[in-house]
């Protein structure tokens, strides 16, 4: 059985009090808190095993190299990749998508090609393609949402053409919480021989993600949203695609030989990991994966769905509160974006923080095209993870009810 109270005990930050009150952390969509296992692994690595990797024959360097490589192996198993060769460590989801943009798209796309995106994408899955489109004179096309915050799947069928070279889609909207049917979208992409990129920033930490099952060509996600430190993320790509791609950056550790006018690249995945990497953060990511796998991703998904359903149903019952995204719990993740009538979303977040120590995010959530589509300046957003308990939701509901009553 998944026990969130036992899980919560692993997170030291929840022992802290601010203004004499416990922290109600409901901003895991932005970044997750860290369990003691990850914190101690990071500290232990620096105290006992730290050295640069792939550069020394001495024991510390060999040990650090093995630990860093083992983290790649763990991530590969976590998403069911065909080995560590398909797992490139980067800083975050944004860098992973930019790597695809500049190492694959810049060299593969030609004038007249088309990239198909959706209106619900995070800026990190829009801006890189705008830059590529200008440089390569390719066309960007967007799929819209319906009134319930779901993608209009029929628009993919209408807008895909023989010119479509890339379809890039978020697995889970960081605003609406919508879980997209990426298997179906990926199948549509491959029917026209287009490549398929999935932004997994909001899915990989929260539900089972199997790259073979969804048959994506690229998958990008961040470590800091799945219990690991900041500064470490992942690009998964199929081995044959990575083999054909040019390196994103040049420098040390990504070469096998260098002459004055030409170089040869290192084997995968090191071909794409130039310079000294975030070694300790990578090792800690491996420990975070261990932690999640021990809990079980299906258990995590089911628990988050339960607590989200409880929060959603009760939030919808508060007069004067509007919740965005699907109302069907089967179609959404643990992200609740909402507004309180006649109160600015920033004021909502400030009230919750000052009076209840509730941590939520407010603003456009790096999704301005979606906000403009919805006719909004922004929203308040509460999001749930493995350490949230029903009492957190009750305090959130009490706070919002109090705010509505005082307005």
């Amino acid at each position: 059985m998944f026990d969130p109270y036992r899980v919560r005990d692993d997170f030291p930050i929840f022992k802290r009090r601010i203004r004499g009150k416990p922290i109600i952390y409901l901003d895991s969509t932005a970044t997750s808190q860290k369990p003691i296992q990850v914190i101690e692994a990071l500290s232990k690595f620096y105290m006992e095993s730290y050295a640069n990797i792939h550069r020394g024959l001495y024991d510390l360097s060999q040990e650090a190299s093995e630990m860093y490589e083992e983290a790649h192996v763990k991530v590969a198993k976590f998403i069911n990749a065909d080995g560590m060769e398909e797992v490139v460590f980067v800083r975050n989801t944004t860098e992973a998508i930019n790597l695809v943009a500049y190492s694959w798209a810049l060299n593969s796309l030609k004038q007249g090609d088309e990239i198909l995106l959706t209106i619900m994408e995070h800026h990190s899955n829009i801006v890189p393609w705008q830059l590529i489109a200008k440089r390569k004179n390719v066309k960007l096309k967007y799929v819209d949402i319906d009134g319930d915050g779901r993608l209009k799947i029929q628009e993919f069928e209408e807008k895909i053409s023989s010119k479509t070279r890339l379809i890039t889609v978020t697995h889970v909207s960081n605003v609406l919480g919508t879980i997209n049917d990426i298997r179906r979208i990926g199948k549509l992409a491959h029917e026209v021989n287009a490549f398929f990129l999935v932004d997994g920033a909001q899915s990989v930490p929260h539900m089972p993600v199997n790259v073979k099952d969804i048959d994506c060509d690229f998958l990008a996600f961040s470590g800091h949203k799945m219990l690991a430190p900041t500064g470490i993320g992942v690009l998964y790509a199929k081995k044959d695609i990575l083999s054909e791609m040019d390196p994103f950056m040049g420098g040390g550790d990504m070469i096998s030989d260098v002459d004055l006018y030409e170089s040869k690249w290192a084997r995968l995945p090191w071909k794409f990991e130039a310079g000294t990497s975030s070694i300790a953060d990578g090792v800690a990511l491996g420990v975070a994966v261990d932690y999640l796998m021990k809990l079980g991703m299906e258990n995590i998904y089911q628990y988050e769905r339960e607590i989200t359903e409880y929060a959603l149903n009760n939030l919808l019952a508060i007069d004067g509160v509007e919740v965005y995204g699907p109302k069907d719990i089967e179609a959404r993740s643990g992200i609740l974006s909402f507004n309180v009538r006649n109160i600015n979303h920033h004021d909502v977040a400030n009230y919750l923080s000052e009076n209840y120590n509730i941590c939520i995010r407010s603003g456009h959530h790096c999704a301005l095209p979606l906000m403009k589509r919805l006719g909004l300046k922004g929203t308040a957003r509460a999001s749930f993870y493995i350490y949230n308990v029903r009492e957190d939701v009750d305090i959130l509901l009490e706070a919002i009810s109090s705010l509505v009553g005082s307005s």
Side-chain angles (χ1 to χ4, degrees), residues 136-350:
K136 300 296 292 186
N137 197 19
V138 303
K139 184 177 182 180
L140 302 182
K141 297 166 73 172
Y142 288 86
V143 170
D144 198 8
I145 56 173
D146 62 20
D148 199 31
R150 306 174 195 238
L151 289 176
K152 295 181 177 179
I153 296 294
Q154 70 275 12
E155 282 198 13
F156 281 99
E157 299 172 349
E158 295 166 0
K159 293 184 176 182
I160 289 175
S161 72
S162 59
K163 296 180 181 179
T164 306
R165 292 295 312 282
L166 175 69
I167 296 180
T168 180
V169 179
T170 185
H171 192 171
V172 174
S173 168
N174 74 311
V175 175
L176 302 172
T178 310
I179 302 174
N180 293 317
D181 189 352
I182 55 173
R183 292 184 186 88
R184 184 175 176 185
I185 298 168
K187 184 177 180 181
L188 292 172
H190 292 145
E191 284 176 355
V192 295
N193 295 317
F195 287 76
F196 182 45
L197 186 153
V198 175
D199 175 352
Q202 302 301 338
S203 62
V204 173
H206 301 279
M207 62 186 68
V209 175
N210 184 325
V211 293
K212 290 192 179 70
D213 185 38
I214 62 180
D215 195 23
C216 58
D217 298 298
F218 306 102
L219 173 71
F221 56 99
S222 295
H224 73 93
K225 296 180 189 291
M226 51 185 287
L227 311 182
T230 53
I232 193 72
V234 177
L235 172 67
Y236 157 83
K238 293 177 179 177
K239 185 176 180 180
D240 58 338
I241 299 174
L242 286 175
S243 297
E244 294 296 321
M245 287 167 52
D246 286 337
F248 182 35
M249 295 184 292
D253 206 34
M254 49 75 64
I255 51 83
S256 62
D257 189 28
V258 178
D259 290 323
L260 290 178
Y261 301 104
E262 187 175 358
S263 298
K264 296 179 181 178
W265 314 135
R267 62 184 176 89
L268 295 175
W270 319 123
K271 169 183 174 182
F272 294 98
E273 295 192 24
T276 297
S277 302
S278 296
I279 306 166
D281 298 329
V283 171
L285 172 59
V287 176
V289 166
D290 289 338
Y291 188 93
L292 292 171
M293 291 187 73
K294 184 176 181 180
L295 292 178
M297 293 309 298
E298 184 61 34
N299 294 332
I300 291 170
Y301 172 65
Q302 292 298 336
Y303 174 71
E304 286 187 24
R305 188 164 66 170
E306 291 173 12
I307 195 170
T308 303
E309 185 175 28
Y310 176 71
L312 175 63
N313 290 340
N314 282 279
L315 198 57
L316 288 170
I318 301 176
D319 185 44
V321 175
E322 182 170 3
V323 182
Y324 306 97
K327 306 306 183 284
D328 175 10
I329 194 63
E330 300 292 332
R332 69 176 306 141
S333 68
I335 297 170
L336 294 178
S337 285
F338 64 94
N339 275 319
V340 178
R341 186 169 54 222
N342 299 326
I343 303 178
N344 182 274
H345 49 277
H346 292 313
D347 292 333
V348 171
N350 189 57

